[in-house]
DNA sequence: CGTGCGATGTATCGTGGCGATACAACGCTC
DNA sequence: GAGCGTTGTATCGCCACGATACATCGCACG
């Protein structure tokens, strides 16, 4: 029941498709999983080591990808059974940790591996989290407005707007998810808690 | 000519108004400067120490704020002359480092301390940076679209949209800045380089 | 033909941000 | 006067990051 950090989760999800090299993992994480996650080697390799140590992934140095007697060192990482199990656990988790700022994107990018009820719970959780934030920021904006200059105020106003947009986006997704669920399987619809 | 990190810059800017305690700095940074910057003590106090060491700020333990013979330890930090000079240097800097992702917000919140030409250069620099990103993300989106599932695609589409909104926001600000400059001082208008 | 550059690939080091935590005095309420 | 939330300073361990080093591969260009 050890905790899985965001990075490990993202890697777990990527390796579920196919084994990959560290280099490829880094590259894909930069492009596939949201355009904005960078990930440097200084984070990646230690993380891979940790995961190997935890038995979640296994290193394969045989390297069937190249022809010649390649002296080049290449290590392909693949999920172990424990890794698959851990991934399944994480995918089933729809608790608060699934809609944290830093986790949500990763969870979202793995939504095809998740069932509809879990998707809906995560989306709704994320939405309510942002709603809370909306109130805080609104109060903050009022105070900034009376105490600070126009630029600072504008910065806050814009920040507020960004959160509002985010909420609208989630509303759209939730609506889609609901109607899809209604279409597929009416009995599991409207499972909203929280 | 030593480099000033974002954190130091933000602190420099805040202390330019008035001397403050570490506690107050942290609190204000959480509310005033964009709603989303947290800053923990684990970052703050080491940073203050560094700044004192560099002679940018000075610690004042006399504490004229309380009445009684308060045994409570309170340390007010204020700008030194070197600190003021450094702040002025940083505020005049409109190079690429001023519109980095992590710096821009802080620079923007200090815009009232900056002249209009510098403001404009920073806004335009930021804008062109985001334009580049826009193209990258667009290409990325195309590739994701053909290779990945609907959720991952949606995540990218939404990310792209966020950047587009950001650019629109900057356009509005640039327009405002230009018309204000035209009104105040026609000779400095249209100084766009980059 | 070689040479030189960019992409692929693994790996580590130092700086420093962050969360947790500890400790203490203050002020307020009940 | 006991308890509790706020103000206030400070440190520790973990680990993300940027920089950097090093090696091989493939390819283009003269």
């Amino acid at each position: 029941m050890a905790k899985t950090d965001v990075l490990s989760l993202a890697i777990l999800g990527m390796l579920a498709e196919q084994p990959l090299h560290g280099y490829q993992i880094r590259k894909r994480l930069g492009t596939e999983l949201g355009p904005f996650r960078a990930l440097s080697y200084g984070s990646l390799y230690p993380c891979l080591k940790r995961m190997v140590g935890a038995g979640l992934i296994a290193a394969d140095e045989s390297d069937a990808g190249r022809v010649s007697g390649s002296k080049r060192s290449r290590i392909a990482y693949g999920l172990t059974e424990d890794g698959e199990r851990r991934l399944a656990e994480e995918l089933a988790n729809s608790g608060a940790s699934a809609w944290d700022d830093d986790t949500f994107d990763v969870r979202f990018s793995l939504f095809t591996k998740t069932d509809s009820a879990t998707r809906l719970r995560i989306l709704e959780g994320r939405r309510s989290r942002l709603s809370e934030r909306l109130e805080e920021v609104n109060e903050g904006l009022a105070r900034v407005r009376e105490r600070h200059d126009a630029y600072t105020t504008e910065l806050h106003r814009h920040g507020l707007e960004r959160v509002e947009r985010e909420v609208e986006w989630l509303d759209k997704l939730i609506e889609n998810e609901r109607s899809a669920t209604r279409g597929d399987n009416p009995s599991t619809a409207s499972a909203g808690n929280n």
Side-chain angles (χ1 to χ4, degrees), chain A:
Chain A
M1 196 59 172
K3 277 171 288 182
T4 312
D5 57 307
V6 212
L7 193 48
S8 305
L9 176 59
I11 294 173
L12 243 34
M14 274 203 352
L15 296 185
E17 312 277 351
Q18 59 191 299
L20 289 171
H21 297 200
Y23 188 82
Q24 297 171 314
I25 292 174
R26 178 185 132 94
K27 221 178 137 202
R28 297 206 174 191
L29 233 45
T31 60
E32 298 187 358
L33 185 90
F36 308 115
R37 301 194 165 260
L39 181 63
S40 66
Y41 295 122
S43 323
L44 177 59
Y45 284 106
C47 180
L48 287 174
K49 269 185 186 168
R50 260 176 282 142
M51 291 175 75
V52 169
L56 300 175
I57 60 177
D60 173 19
E61 305 200 39
S62 63
D63 188 38
R66 294 298 176 205
V67 256
S68 59
S70 54
K71 290 178 178 180
R72 186 150 166 191
S73 67
R74 308 171 89 231
I75 307 171
Y77 294 92
L79 286 195
T80 62
E81 285 183 23
D82 275 0
E84 287 176 22
R85 216 173 301 128
R86 172 66 68 79
L87 178 59
E89 281 172 26
E90 289 298 333
L91 288 176
N93 163 30
S94 59
S97 60
W99 57 71
D100 272 351
D101 282 339
D102 48 347
T103 315
F104 176 75
D105 281 13
V106 176
R107 287 306 310 270
F108 187 83
S109 75
L110 298 175
F111 261 17
T112 40
K113 297 179 172 39
T114 311
D115 62 294
S116 181
T118 306
R119 285 198 286 263
L120 207 51
R121 267 196 303 273
I122 293 177
L123 289 172
E124 281 167 347
R126 178 71 183 159
R127 208 217 106 105
S128 83
R129 155 85 46 121
L130 288 185
S131 290
E132 293 167 24
R133 179 131 65 215
L134 221 47
E135 288 181 38
E136 290 167 29
V137 178
N138 241 321
E139 289 170 24
L141 177 58
R143 251 177 308 131
V144 167
R145 200 164 242 140
E146 60 193 36
R147 271 204 267 278
H148 292 281
D149 60 282
Y151 289 110
T152 308
T153 305
E154 177 60 19
L155 189 60
H156 278 249
R157 207 199 48 68
H158 179 242
L160 178 65
E161 218 172 76
R162 219 163 45 200
V163 181
E164 286 170 348
R165 288 269 151 66
E166 206 80 8
V167 170
E168 288 169 21
W169 181 63
L170 285 167
D171 282 337
K172 205 188 64 186
L173 291 170
I174 290 171
E175 175 55 32
N176 283 352
E177 203 67 50
R178 284 220 177 94
S179 59
T181 307
R182 272 197 297 275
D184 288 353
N185 184 357
S187 67
T188 59
S190 72
N193 64 339
N194 195 28

